[in-house]
Amino acid sequence: MKTKRLLDIPWSEFSALPVEQKTPYLMHADDTPYHTLFAQQFDLSLLEWRTQLATEIRGIAKTRAGMGFLRDLVCHKRAMLYFSQPSSRTFLSFLSACQILGVQTGELRDTATSSEFKGESREDSVRTFSSYFDMIIMRTPEKGLAEYTAWMLSNSERPIPIINAGSGQDQHPTQALLDIYTLVRSFEKAGGLRDRTVVFVGDLARGRTVRSLSRLLTNYPNIRQVFIAPPQLQIGEDVLSNLRSKGVEHYSSDDFNAAIPEADAIYMTRVQDEWDKEKGDSARIDTSRFHFGPEQLKRLQPHAILMHPLPRREEIATSVDHDPRAMYWRQMRNGMWIRTALIAMTFGCDKRIHEYHRQNL
Ligand code: CP
């Protein structure tokens, strides 16, 4: 891919491009992401390198000497965690990832505590962060804000990388990375992530994690995708047309019980009622047939895994948690390692980590 510069394109032109044409503007010269905004920035070789790096970091971090090595790598860097939308896992795993690499952090979790409350524009607010930090990790309810921030800062005297930690209903690329990492690890001793069926269940219309993961999965050979939801919450046409254009086998249905025995992985999601147009819209949809409990567990193949980006509500019974196929707690912890790998790659210290691993483990 020939990289391009965000400096050379006006926002009106850049924002109108299809995502695939935006990605060359977001990469380092060596084709690794500088800004991480979209799942479409990752091809198979980048995914393989990132998941390998996450595993290497995991191994290095087991010893005090290894942790000391990691903590020294980018201790001269600072990251701003700008989370104007609630988060537990993404916030804490990014914070932990920064701590592992020695990156100092600042945080803002409520714009009511910043000068935005006094009427400062979002644009001025993030420019302020860029004065003090070397990276901004952003979660916002607005689709496109991370992208605009990347463009705007690239055109300022303090260009710094932006990581999208969830943008509206649109994308959650780093969640998709940890989901891929979980799938890769789950199947690495059983032929790898290929020739599998992944069944997505729940609120697929508004779940940004599903939209991003569906795209990343198309990088792997012969991964069939199944979308199980009530008609009102079914997956969007943009996801389906992407699958059609890539020749990926898929289908949509509301028959969860029929899909369970086909699954190598089931990816449950909660109802995203925070996006209801009118309060109570979601409550009028019967989602009880899309819950996973002891009965569904009996239908799950012995080798299959049960995933959830979390937080959950009632869509997975807590009695399922102790089954070895329930992967969601491990999935969550995987987020810390893959986000550490992401920050390491963004700051360009990935090869040093790989070399340390080669020499010491
Ligand atoms: N999966 C996820 O994004 O969780 P949080 O909203 O807690 O960050």
Side-chain angles (χ1 to χ4, degrees):
M1 186 191 303
K2 187 168 173 357
T3 51
K4 299 179 177 181
R5 299 185 324 156
L6 280 174
L7 261 181
D8 298 332
I9 183 167
W11 169 247
S12 56
E13 237 174 80
F14 178 72
S15 61
L17 291 174
V19 170
E20 284 72 12
Q21 288 179 34
K22 288 177 181 168
T23 59
Y25 290 93
L26 308 175
M27 310 303 264
H28 286 292
D30 67 356
D31 267 357
T32 58
Y34 176 69
H35 300 294
T36 297
L37 304 181
F38 307 112
Q40 288 92 325
Q41 287 175 257
F42 297 92
D43 60 15
L44 186 58
S45 72
L46 262 180
L47 289 168
E48 285 177 343
W49 173 230
R50 189 148 299 180
T51 52
Q52 179 188 335
L53 190 67
T55 300
E56 290 179 356
I57 291 169
R58 197 177 198 126
I60 294 169
K62 285 190 198 308
T63 65
R64 189 184 171 102
M67 274 304 276
F69 162 76
L70 291 169
R71 218 174 15 247
D72 199 40
L73 279 171
V74 271
C75 58
H76 58 302
K77 298 288 187 186
R78 292 180 301 278
M80 176 70 190
L81 295 154
Y82 179 62
F83 277 58
S84 62
Q85 200 187 26
S87 166
S88 297
R89 280 145 285 269
T90 312
F91 178 82
L92 288 172
S93 59
F94 266 120
L95 181 66
S96 303
C98 287
Q99 288 168 345
I100 289 168
L101 292 172
V103 176
Q104 305 294 307
T105 55
E107 65 184 64
L108 196 147
R109 304 205 64 181
D110 182 352
T111 52
T113 64
S114 80
S115 286
E116 281 183 49
F117 187 71
K118 294 182 271 183
E120 184 168 58
S121 69
R122 186 62 55 85
E123 184 167 339
D124 284 0
S125 194
V126 292
R127 277 194 78 144
T128 303
F129 305 148
S130 75
S131 301
Y132 307 128
F133 294 95
D134 303 298
M135 165 187 282
I136 300 177
I137 301 165
M138 279 187 104
R139 165 169 292 196
T140 65
E142 299 95 346
K143 176 183 174 185
L145 184 62
E147 184 184 338
Y148 177 70
T149 304
W151 179 86
M152 189 259 293
L153 292 181
S154 294
N155 282 278
S156 77
E157 61 279 8
R158 274 288 296 168
I160 60 172
I162 305 298
I163 295 181
N164 177 2
S167 51
Q169 294 170 42
D170 184 35
Q171 287 242 0
H172 196 348
T174 67
Q175 174 71 43
L177 288 174
L178 79 89
D179 295 336
I180 287 288
Y181 185 44
T182 302
L183 287 159
V184 166
R185 282 179 71 78
S186 297
F187 298 123
E188 67 184 342
K189 294 194 177 95
L193 183 50
R194 58 184 309 133
D195 309 322
R196 305 280 176 188
T197 295
V198 177
V199 176
F200 295 98
V201 186
D203 186 345
L204 309 183
R206 302 176 290 187
R208 58 193 175 195
T209 64
V210 172
R211 300 164 60 74
S212 291
L213 179 56
S214 170
R215 289 195 180 266
L216 282 197
L217 282 171
T218 62
N219 288 291
Y220 291 84
N222 194 24
I223 304 294
R224 191 167 163 253
Q225 299 190 25
V226 177
F227 301 98
I228 304 292
Q232 304 93 317
L233 300 178
Q234 251 309 350
I235 194 76
E237 177 52 31
D238 60 326
V239 174
L240 296 177
S241 75
N242 177 55
L243 297 179
R244 282 194 291 271
S245 73
K246 292 184 170 147
V248 174
E249 194 185 335
H250 63 280
Y251 73 84
S252 305
S253 160
D254 64 357
D255 190 346
F256 186 23
N257 279 332
I260 293 171
E262 299 173 17
D264 297 293
I266 294 186
Y267 192 95
M268 300 293 295
T269 62
R270 73 176 168 88
V271 172
Q272 311 257 321
D273 49 11
E274 66 269 37
W275 302 111
D276 279 359
K277 290 197 174 74
E278 283 188 35
K279 200 167 165 48
D281 278 354
S282 297
R284 285 187 277 279
I285 303 170
D286 177 13
T287 53
S288 57
R289 287 185 296 118
F290 306 91
H291 292 178
F292 196 101
E295 282 310 307
Q296 287 70 29
L297 198 56
K298 286 182 199 155
R299 301 173 71 82
L300 191 65
Q301 296 192 73
H303 73 273
I305 60 168
L306 183 64
M307 301 172 70
H308 194 308
L310 303 177
R312 74 169 151 191
R313 292 180 184 166
E314 65 283 8
E315 61 277 358
I316 300 183
T318 52
S319 62
V320 172
D321 289 4
H322 299 294
D323 190 279
R325 292 165 289 182
M327 198 55 63
Y328 25 95
W329 299 111
R330 276 172 278 174
Q331 180 185 352
M332 185 172 78
R333 188 166 163 81
N334 286 340
M336 179 175 74
W337 301 119
I338 202 80
R339 286 173 172 133
T340 308
L342 168 69
I343 294 170
M345 285 181 77
T346 307
F347 283 141
C349 59
D350 47 322
K351 297 199 174 53
R352 284 174 64 198
I353 294 173
H354 180 58
E355 195 49 31
Y356 181 95
H357 185 267
R358 197 182 65 74
Q359 287 181 10
N360 294 282
L361 279 87

